[in-house]
Amino acid sequence: AQSVTQLDSHVSVSEGTPVLLRCNYSSSYSPSLFWYVQHPNKGLQLLLKYTSAATLVKGINGFEAEFKKSETSFHLTKPSAHMSDAAEYFCVVSDPNDYKLSFGAGTTVTVRA
Amino acid sequence: DAMVIQNPRYQVTQFGKPVTLSCSQTLNHNVMYWYQQKSSQAPKLLFHYYDKDFNNEADTPDNFQSRRPNTSFCFLDIRSPGLGDAAMYLCATSRDQGGQAITTDTQYFGPGTRLTVL
């Protein structure tokens, strides 16, 4: 069985400051891990994914995430937040032998001018 | 650009009136999914097609049906929409990595259809 816990339901940052979104997972296998972003009334856009290659994964729009097996974490960071980063972010885990995704509850990011 | 397209983007229907949502893809992926996403919640998988094979999730109500006439298109039919079916419906696709079980690659999502039930 697999599961995902996003540790913050809401994160508020000032424009130009770093963003940190925390995600812990549990999985019986070596998982694939993803971060998706969803802007209001839009679909989910893939930010980045980890599939057992480099532990530091770079994604689109300046986001990156680090896979830490010992801590079962996959935290998402961005050095400098932009107003357009205001959205809902989902951490997602997928076992390699399964088609189903397990979603975290989501983290809402607001960016203050 | 290869993509997942959903039509319409916004759909309003009346209580009990059947409605069909459409999804098409130019990625040539063999697996297609339908998700329901209610306000402030994560998406919930309703069912998926592996090629032409339909796979229903155990807790998906009978009110929801799906059709996949070819690789590119997939439809979600809601036979008698209730007020509780108002939600965002997301279509996604992925490519099977091969082997005996489905070991799918990344899922790519469409923009969604926002369904309102009056």
Side-chain angles (χ1 to χ4, degrees), chain B residues 48-115:
Chain B
H48 77 277
Y49 273 95
Y50 182 86
D51 292 325
K52 284 190 170 291
D53 292 334
F54 177 72
N55 298 271
N56 201 31
E57 293 302 300
D59 57 354
T60 298
D62 293 340
N63 197 29
F64 292 88
Q65 304 286 322
S66 185
R67 296 169 284 135
R68 188 179 186 186
N70 54 52
T71 300
S72 300
F73 284 87
C74 196
F75 300 98
L76 170 62
D77 301 309
I78 308 177
R79 294 192 296 186
S80 182
L83 297 178
D85 297 327
M88 173 75 90
Y89 289 88
L90 297 166
C91 174
T93 72
S94 68
R95 175 181 57 87
D96 179 24
Q97 295 178 7
Q100 294 181 341
I102 296 179
T103 52
T104 57
D105 205 342
T106 306
Q107 290 190 23
Y108 294 91
F109 287 81
T113 296
R114 170 74 65 187
L115 178 67

Side-chain angles (χ1 to χ4, degrees), chain A residues 12-80:
Chain A
S12 180
V13 298
S14 296
E15 190 174 23
T17 65
V19 181
L20 169 64
L21 305 183
R22 299 180 295 165
C23 172
N24 286 352
Y25 71 93
S26 67
S27 176
S28 303
Y29 304 93
S30 296
S32 295
L33 292 157
F34 308 84
W35 276 98
Y36 285 89
V37 61
Q38 185 176 33
H39 289 89
N41 284 312
K42 297 289 179 66
L44 275 70
Q45 181 183 19
L46 179 69
L47 279 178
L48 49 81
K49 66 177 180 179
Y50 166 79
T51 53
S52 75
T55 56
L56 184 62
V57 183
K58 293 190 182 299
I60 61 170
N61 300 335
F63 285 95
E64 64 180 34
E66 186 171 10
F67 174 73
K68 291 187 176 180
K69 186 175 181 179
S70 61
E71 299 176 11
T72 60
S73 68
F74 190 57
H75 301 335
L76 180 71
T77 60
K78 182 173 180 176
S80 177

